[in-house]
Amino acid sequence: MAALYLIPVTLGDTPLDNVLPSANHDVIVRIRHFIVEEIRSARRFLKQTDKSIDIDTLTFYPMGKHADKALFSKYLDPLRNGVDMGIISEAGCPAIADPGADVVAIAQSEGLKVVPLVGPSSILMSLMASGFNGQQFAFHGYLPVGSHERQTALRNLEATSHAHNQTQIFIETPYRNHQMIDNIISVCRPTTKLCIAAGITCGDNEFIQTKTIRQWRNEKSSVPDLRKTPAIFLIYAGQD
Amino acid sequence: MAALYLIPVTLGDTPLDNVLPSANHDVIVRIRHFIVEEIRSARRFLKQTDKSIDIDTLTFYPMGKHADKALFSKYLDPLRNGVDMGIISEAGCPAIADPGADVVAIAQSEGLKVVPLVGPSSILMSLMASGFNGQQFAFHGYLPVGSHERQTALRNLEATSHAHNQTQIFIETPYRNHQMIDNIISVCRPTTKLCIAAGITCGDNEFIQTKTIRQWRNEKSSVPDLRKTPAIFLIYAGQD
């Protein structure tokens, strides 16, 4: 039975073998129809996967920010006709903090087969390395940008973490990472813990550190320059 | 700098190359101290990773259910002395719905380096393939077993999913999977969606299907026998 394969990519500049199982390669080289967030980077990823792939014979269907969602159902025609397809997003796993879920939902609603492949997820990897509760956690995407709304959001996350013993995870655009860190350490309580995780899987640029808010206030200078590095933030105010 | 590596394993009976990057192998063969959920299966995994590993020269530290948590800090002495260590749990990624977080928390509190490796996570992979919202989601581990408490928990998850547009994810022990499915389809509203994901990454045994509660009520017979298959459940009552 033909399937819609969810194909993870790297989280940054790292060799594919570091973060993708070799079996992904064998799936990818059989696929000729790709629904992608950005065609240029998907082409580059496929070339990295296997130099012998003839990119110009493949069909790409855009699903990024400016794509017309009304076309998504039509994209799946090859799959409906028994032909494998793939979904590729810009970083990590499609459909998680990244586009793809709309297309998958259409496939699922028609009983088409969907097969997720293994790859890096900054959410999962930062949670593993944080030391925080991995039995209960929530991911919130981006928090509000406005200063009052953000303060409220952070206070709510801290309270929820405490009440439900639940790790709270969220992201920020790189150029606002340091502002986010300042917001967290000024709003949260001294005993709450914050894990800052950046450059995950990117070797020497990987930074994953957990400290209490009190410690971060004293050791803010230990945070590297994250203005251009994708980062993820985890707070935990539960019972240890 | 020496590191505590978080080493994922397979989610069931599947070749390592299907779900683990080849770089994990290169990290693993350098490590001689492993903190593990179960020594026997960790040994088997290491032998599968590389036949040439001399298992009897390695040191294993138990962190499973019956382990004495008071010893966990002492386990990290090799790491404190500049020697790499690894953490291995029974299935998928350590510290996520699996032991390991306690040990990681100790390492983080001392500023020791923690490095997560890529591997399969049933939570992430089921979310990718569900078609549900991957921008906001929560994982709850096990729900209460008692019938009244469970009904309340399911109603709360459904209400939270609707109010916050958040995918709700939870697990069950295999022998109670069918009871859980019955509970969900009797408690939740007809328009709420349920994704049942089982045997993830295990080839022909992989079953990942999303339907509305109404559809599941009519097509319950389409669910395969899951009494011995690890499964994960996702419900979504948000805005599509």
Side-chain angles (χ1 to χ4, degrees):
Chain A
M1 189 180 175
L4 178 60
Y5 290 92
L6 305 178
I7 301 170
V9 300
T10 64
L11 290 175
D13 196 16
T14 191
L16 302 194
D17 285 349
N18 280 5
V19 293
L20 300 172
S22 63
N24 291 20
H25 165 276
D26 306 337
V27 172
I28 291 166
V29 294
R30 288 191 285 107
I31 299 177
R32 316 206 45 82
H33 296 268
F34 293 95
I35 301 167
V36 303
E37 183 173 0
E38 224 251 308
I39 292 178
R40 192 155 46 150
S41 49
R43 290 168 68 107
R44 193 166 50 226
F45 168 73
L46 294 171
K47 262 301 182 207
Q48 274 183 287
T49 299
D50 194 322
K51 276 188 202 130
S52 74
I53 294 179
D54 184 357
I55 304 282
D56 295 329
T57 65
L58 305 177
T59 310
F60 294 95
Y61 310 82
M63 63 163 189
K65 234 182 299 187
H66 306 293
D68 179 0
K69 291 192 179 192
L71 297 173
F72 287 5
S73 176
K74 181 96 182 104
Y75 287 175
L76 293 172
D77 278 348
L79 182 62
R80 292 182 187 106
N81 292 320
V83 174
D84 288 332
M85 300 186 74
I87 295 188
I88 299 175
S89 70
E90 282 300 276
C93 298
I96 313 256
D98 243 4
D102 294 339
V103 178
V104 173
I106 296 167
Q108 282 284 8
S109 74
E110 298 179 29
L112 298 165
K113 189 173 170 186
V114 179
V115 177
L117 301 183
V118 172
S121 157
S122 59
I123 301 170
L124 254 273
M125 296 179 81
S126 63
L127 180 59
M128 286 164 74
S130 66
F132 294 163
N133 188 4
Q135 319 296 319
Q136 277 107 25
F137 59 89
F139 175 71
H140 303 279
Y142 293 92
L143 301 191
V145 174
S147 107
H148 182 70
E149 291 79 4
R150 173 167 292 187
Q151 280 182 30
T152 306
L154 286 169
R155 286 215 180 85
N156 286 343
L157 294 188
E158 189 179 40
T160 305
S161 178
H162 187 71
H164 300 291
N165 192 26
Q166 190 186 54
T167 303
Q168 307 296 324
I169 311 172
F170 47 94
I171 48 179
E172 182 51 288
T173 21
Y175 77 91
R176 280 199 288 251
N177 278 337
H178 291 282
Q179 191 192 317
M180 174 60 91
I181 294 168
D182 288 342
N183 295 154
I184 299 169
I185 68 179
S186 76
V187 168
C188 291
R189 290 179 299 186
T191 53
T192 293
K193 286 177 180 161
L194 164 66
C195 178
I196 302 174
I200 293 173
T201 70
C202 294
D204 291 343
N205 289 322
E206 184 173 89
F207 177 85
I208 311 179
Q209 284 194 12
T210 295
K211 298 180 198 282
T212 62
I213 296 296
R214 179 181 289 120
Q215 285 171 315
W216 281 121
R217 284 176 187 163
N218 294 329
E219 299 165 32
K220 226 181 75 178
S221 59
S222 69
V223 179
D225 184 347
L226 301 179
R227 285 173 297 176
K228 294 184 176 173
T229 313
I232 184 159
F233 303 93
L234 303 88
I235 64 176
Y236 182 63
Q239 310 85 314
D240 271 327
Chain B
M1 189 179 174
L4 178 61
Y5 289 92
L6 305 177
I7 302 170
V9 299
T10 64
L11 291 175
D13 197 16
T14 191
L16 302 195
D17 285 349
N18 280 5
V19 294
L20 300 172
S22 62
N24 291 19
H25 166 276
D26 306 338
V27 171
I28 292 167
V29 294
R30 288 190 287 108
I31 300 178
R32 316 201 49 79
H33 297 267
F34 293 94
I35 301 167
V36 302
E37 183 173 1
E38 224 252 309
I39 293 178
R40 194 158 40 156
S41 50
R43 290 168 68 107
R44 192 166 50 225
F45 168 72
L46 293 171
K47 261 301 182 211
Q48 274 182 287
T49 299
D50 194 323
K51 277 189 201 129
S52 74
I53 295 179
D54 184 357
I55 303 282
D56 295 329
T57 66
L58 305 176
T59 309
F60 293 96
Y61 309 82
M63 63 162 189
K65 237 183 293 186
H66 306 292
D68 179 0
K69 290 192 180 190
L71 298 173
F72 286 6
S73 177
K74 181 97 182 104
Y75 287 175
L76 294 172
D77 278 348
L79 182 63
R80 292 183 187 106
N81 292 319
V83 175
D84 287 332
M85 299 187 74
I87 295 189
I88 299 175
S89 70
E90 282 300 277
C93 298
I96 312 259
D98 242 5
D102 294 340
V103 177
V104 174
I106 296 167
Q108 283 283 9
S109 73
E110 298 179 28
L112 298 165
K113 189 174 169 185
V114 179
V115 176
L117 301 184
V118 173
S121 157
S122 59
I123 301 169
L124 253 274
M125 297 178 80
S126 63
L127 180 58
M128 287 163 74
S130 67
F132 294 163
N133 188 4
Q135 319 295 320
Q136 277 107 25
F137 60 90
F139 175 70
H140 302 279
Y142 294 93
L143 301 191
V145 174
S147 107
H148 182 69
E149 292 78 3
R150 173 167 292 187
Q151 279 182 30
T152 307
L154 286 169
R155 285 214 182 84
N156 287 342
L157 294 187
E158 188 180 40
T160 305
S161 178
H162 186 72
H164 300 291
N165 193 24
Q166 191 187 52
T167 303
Q168 308 296 325
I169 311 172
F170 47 96
I171 47 178
E172 182 52 289
T173 23
Y175 77 91
R176 280 200 288 253
N177 278 338
H178 291 282
Q179 192 193 316
M180 175 61 91
I181 294 168
D182 288 341
N183 295 154
I184 299 168
I185 67 180
S186 75
V187 168
C188 290
R189 291 180 299 188
T191 53
T192 293
K193 286 178 181 161
L194 164 66
C195 178
I196 302 174
I200 293 172
T201 70
C202 294
D204 291 343
N205 290 322
E206 184 173 270
F207 176 86
I208 310 178
Q209 284 195 11
T210 294
K211 298 180 198 283
T212 62
I213 297 295
R214 179 181 289 118
Q215 285 171 315
W216 282 121
R217 284 176 187 161
N218 294 329
E219 300 166 32
K220 227 181 76 177
S221 59
S222 69
V223 179
D225 183 348
L226 301 179
R227 285 173 297 176
K228 293 185 175 170
T229 311
I232 184 158
F233 302 94
L234 303 89
I235 64 177
Y236 183 61
Q239 310 86 311
D240 270 326

